[in-house]
Amino acid sequence: ITNDGVQVEDQFIESANVIWAAGNQASALLKTLDTPLDRQGRAIVEPDLSIPGHPEVFVLGDASHAKDPKGNPLPGIAPVAIQQGRYIAKILKEHTSPEGRPPFKYWDKGSMATIGKGKAVAVVGKFEFEGFLAWLAWGAIHILYLVGFRNRIGVILQWIVVFMTGQRGVRIITKAIDPELPRKDA
């Protein structure tokens, strides 16, 4: 990745903007389960997060295609996976029989995203807000979920420095581009 674009194998793609997405393909391990998969390769699970015909096998998180009460797939995000993990742990701890398992229910606590310095968007229940207030809420939630007082203080201080100095907080891991590879514009 350079300021001019991205080198991908033997092709150079010119771009001023580089967007990286990860985790957009389900694990190949799911194909070995001999269970129905959705278009993204996620295992289609029963309401108790087990795979059809195997109540002893659970799939959760972004590897599962679980549905909400309206029949919509749950998003492959950490809050869903955390709640699914707790649900399955309770089933296993209590040795709940397949017949006695209540369906998994996801509690959506809302969504937040930072979109710039001092700017964010948030949807919590029926409330939607944006701007500096949403940015403060986004920061507070992230600090709240950090483990340990020392980590919280460290991150707060780091964010204050970044906010006050305007330095970029993004870190990109790069490796040298082989100058022998042909560029698209060459």
Side-chain angles (χ1 to χ4, degrees), residues 112 120 133-145 155-156 159:
M112 296 180 163
L133 178 63
W135 184 74
L136 286 175
W138 175 87
I141 294 296
H142 280 74
I143 295 297
L144 179 71
Y145 280 96
V155 170
I156 289 170
W159 284 357

Side-chain angles (χ1 to χ4, degrees), residues 76-91:
I77 56 176
V80 173
I82 291 166
Q83 289 180 34
Q84 288 175 329
R86 288 181 178 143
Y87 167 85
I88 293 170
K90 184 176 179 185
I91 285 173

Side-chain angles (χ1 to χ4, degrees), residues 5-175:
V6 180
Q7 184 76 38
V8 180
E9 295 179 356
D10 63 343
Q11 180 183 10
F12 186 80
I13 303 167
E14 288 187 53
S15 178
N17 300 305
V18 177
I19 300 170
W20 174 64
N24 48 14
Q25 185 176 12
S27 170
L29 175 66
L30 296 171
K31 293 176 184 171
T32 67
L33 295 178
D34 193 31
T35 192
L37 305 176
D38 68 6
R39 292 183 312 158
Q40 285 81 30
R42 299 175 299 180
I44 298 172
V45 296
E46 299 288 351
D48 68 351
L49 304 178
S50 66
I51 60 174
H54 291 279
E56 73 284 2
V57 178
F58 298 96
V59 180
L60 69 148
D62 59 3
S64 72
H65 178 108
K67 295 182 179 177
D68 67 16
K70 295 179 183 175
N72 300 314
L74 294 174
I77 56 176
V80 173
I82 291 166
Q83 289 180 34
Q84 288 175 329
R86 288 181 178 143
Y87 167 85
I88 293 170
K90 184 176 179 185
I91 285 173
L92 295 174
K93 183 179 177 185
E94 296 176 0
H95 303 286
T96 308
S97 70
E99 301 78 30
R101 297 175 188 166
F104 170 75
K105 290 181 186 165
Y106 171 59
W107 177 43
D108 186 357
K109 298 175 186 176
S111 299
M112 296 180 163
T114 181
I115 56 174
K117 183 178 178 182
K119 297 176 187 162
V121 292
V123 177
V124 181
K126 296 183 182 198
F127 300 103
E128 295 182 18
F129 49 108
E130 59 187 57
F132 191 71
L133 178 63
W135 184 74
L136 286 175
W138 175 87
I141 294 296
H142 280 74
I143 295 297
L144 179 71
Y145 280 96
L146 288 176
V147 177
F149 179 76
R150 193 171 173 179
N151 288 334
R152 291 180 182 135
I153 294 299
V155 170
I156 289 170
L157 292 174
Q158 187 178 33
W159 284 357
I160 289 170
V161 169
V162 169
F163 188 80
M164 301 301 270
T165 64
Q167 81 181 49
R168 285 184 64 163
V170 176
R171 312 271 190 301
I172 299 176
I173 300 171
T174 62
K175 67 176 187 174

